[in-house]
PDB file of all heavy atoms in Angstrom:
ATOM      1  N   LYS A  27       7.791   0.546  -3.608  1.00 52.00           N
ATOM      2  CA  LYS A  27       7.318   0.850  -2.266  1.00 52.00           C
ATOM      3  C   LYS A  27       8.263   1.861  -1.630  1.00 52.00           C
ATOM      4  O   LYS A  27       9.456   1.872  -1.881  1.00 52.00           O
ATOM      5  CB  LYS A  27       7.270  -0.417  -1.425  1.00 52.00           C
ATOM      6  CG  LYS A  27       6.260  -1.417  -1.949  1.00 52.00           C
ATOM      7  CD  LYS A  27       6.249  -2.657  -1.107  1.00 52.00           C
ATOM      8  CE  LYS A  27       5.267  -3.657  -1.671  1.00 52.00           C
ATOM      9  NZ  LYS A  27       5.239  -4.889  -0.916  1.00 52.00           N
ATOM     10  N   HIS A  28       7.707   2.711  -0.766  1.00 54.00           N
ATOM     11  CA  HIS A  28       8.549   3.701  -0.104  1.00 54.00           C
ATOM     12  C   HIS A  28       8.444   3.525   1.398  1.00 54.00           C
ATOM     13  O   HIS A  28       7.550   2.862   1.913  1.00 54.00           O
ATOM     14  CB  HIS A  28       8.156   5.116  -0.524  1.00 54.00           C
ATOM     15  CG  HIS A  28       6.715   5.437  -0.263  1.00 54.00           C
ATOM     16  ND1 HIS A  28       6.249   5.780   0.974  1.00 54.00           N
ATOM     17  CD2 HIS A  28       5.637   5.464  -1.078  1.00 54.00           C
ATOM     18  CE1 HIS A  28       4.949   6.001   0.909  1.00 54.00           C
ATOM     19  NE2 HIS A  28       4.544   5.812  -0.326  1.00 54.00           N
ATOM     20  N   ALA A  29       9.379   4.124   2.086  1.00 61.00           N
ATOM     21  CA  ALA A  29       9.360   4.050   3.546  1.00 61.00           C
ATOM     22  C   ALA A  29       8.111   4.742   4.061  1.00 61.00           C
ATOM     23  O   ALA A  29       7.562   5.632   3.422  1.00 61.00           O
ATOM     24  CB  ALA A  29      10.606   4.724   4.090  1.00 61.00           C
ATOM     25  N   GLY A  30       7.664   4.330   5.208  1.00 72.00           N
ATOM     26  CA  GLY A  30       6.453   4.906   5.773  1.00 72.00           C
ATOM     27  C   GLY A  30       6.609   6.383   6.065  1.00 72.00           C
ATOM     28  O   GLY A  30       7.690   6.868   6.391  1.00 72.00           O
ATOM     29  N   GLY A  31       5.533   7.118   5.936  1.00 80.00           N
ATOM     30  CA  GLY A  31       5.528   8.536   6.256  1.00 80.00           C
ATOM     31  C   GLY A  31       5.896   9.421   5.088  1.00 80.00           C
ATOM     32  O   GLY A  31       6.331   8.958   4.037  1.00 80.00           O
ATOM     33  N   PRO A  32       5.720  10.711   5.270  1.00 85.00           N
ATOM     34  CA  PRO A  32       5.993  11.668   4.195  1.00 85.00           C
ATOM     35  C   PRO A  32       7.489  11.914   3.972  1.00 85.00           C
ATOM     36  O   PRO A  32       8.314  11.566   4.811  1.00 85.00           O
ATOM     37  CB  PRO A  32       5.310  12.944   4.691  1.00 85.00           C
ATOM     38  CG  PRO A  32       5.261  12.806   6.167  1.00 85.00           C
ATOM     39  CD  PRO A  32       5.143  11.337   6.448  1.00 85.00           C
ATOM     40  N   VAL A  33       7.812  12.522   2.828  1.00 88.00           N
ATOM     41  CA  VAL A  33       9.182  12.933   2.529  1.00 88.00           C
ATOM     42  C   VAL A  33       9.524  14.054   3.514  1.00 88.00           C
ATOM     43  O   VAL A  33       8.855  15.081   3.546  1.00 88.00           O
ATOM     44  CB  VAL A  33       9.314  13.441   1.074  1.00 88.00           C
ATOM     45  CG1 VAL A  33      10.709  13.962   0.819  1.00 88.00           C
ATOM     46  CG2 VAL A  33       8.947  12.353   0.095  1.00 88.00           C
ATOM     47  N   LYS A  34      10.559  13.852   4.324  1.00 89.00           N
ATOM     48  CA  LYS A  34      10.865  14.809   5.387  1.00 89.00           C
ATOM     49  C   LYS A  34      12.084  15.682   5.111  1.00 89.00           C
ATOM     50  O   LYS A  34      12.209  16.750   5.688  1.00 89.00           O
ATOM     51  CB  LYS A  34      11.066  14.072   6.707  1.00 89.00           C
ATOM     52  CG  LYS A  34       9.789  13.442   7.208  1.00 89.00           C
ATOM     53  CD  LYS A  34       9.994  12.756   8.529  1.00 89.00           C
ATOM     54  CE  LYS A  34       8.665  12.154   8.961  1.00 89.00           C
ATOM     55  NZ  LYS A  34       8.759  11.238  10.046  1.00 89.00           N
ATOM     56  N   THR A  35      12.988  15.233   4.258  1.00 92.00           N
ATOM     57  CA  THR A  35      14.211  16.009   4.045  1.00 92.00           C
ATOM     58  C   THR A  35      14.363  16.417   2.589  1.00 92.00           C
ATOM     59  O   THR A  35      13.815  15.783   1.680  1.00 92.00           O
ATOM     60  CB  THR A  35      15.461  15.189   4.445  1.00 92.00           C
ATOM     61  OG1 THR A  35      15.589  14.071   3.569  1.00 92.00           O
ATOM     62  CG2 THR A  35      15.370  14.709   5.884  1.00 92.00           C
ATOM     63  N   ALA A  36      15.140  17.480   2.397  1.00 93.00           N
ATOM     64  CA  ALA A  36      15.425  17.950   1.046  1.00 93.00           C
ATOM     65  C   ALA A  36      16.205  16.891   0.265  1.00 93.00           C
ATOM     66  O   ALA A  36      16.014  16.734  -0.940  1.00 93.00           O
ATOM     67  CB  ALA A  36      16.221  19.251   1.098  1.00 93.00           C
ATOM     68  N   GLY A  37      17.048  16.143   0.945  1.00 94.00           N
ATOM     69  CA  GLY A  37      17.825  15.088   0.278  1.00 94.00           C
ATOM     70  C   GLY A  37      16.940  14.006  -0.317  1.00 94.00           C
ATOM     71  O   GLY A  37      17.199  13.528  -1.420  1.00 94.00           O
ATOM     72  N   GLU A  38      15.902  13.620   0.407  1.00 94.00           N
ATOM     73  CA  GLU A  38      14.968  12.626  -0.117  1.00 94.00           C
ATOM     74  C   GLU A  38      14.257  13.162  -1.356  1.00 94.00           C
ATOM     75  O   GLU A  38      14.105  12.460  -2.351  1.00 94.00           O
ATOM     76  CB  GLU A  38      13.907  12.273   0.925  1.00 94.00           C
ATOM     77  CG  GLU A  38      14.385  11.444   2.088  1.00 94.00           C
ATOM     78  CD  GLU A  38      13.254  11.193   3.066  1.00 94.00           C
ATOM     79  OE1 GLU A  38      12.347  10.410   2.722  1.00 94.00           O
ATOM     80  OE2 GLU A  38      13.280  11.788   4.158  1.00 94.00           O
ATOM     81  N   ALA A  39      13.800  14.414  -1.280  1.00 93.00           N
ATOM     82  CA  ALA A  39      13.090  15.026  -2.406  1.00 93.00           C
ATOM     83  C   ALA A  39      14.010  15.146  -3.623  1.00 93.00           C
ATOM     84  O   ALA A  39      13.597  14.870  -4.754  1.00 93.00           O
ATOM     85  CB  ALA A  39      12.562  16.401  -2.014  1.00 93.00           C
TER      86      ALA A  39
END
Side-chain angles (χ1 to χ4, degrees):
K27 295 179 182 179
H28 57 79
V33 176
K34 293 182 180 167
T35 65
E38 288 178 71

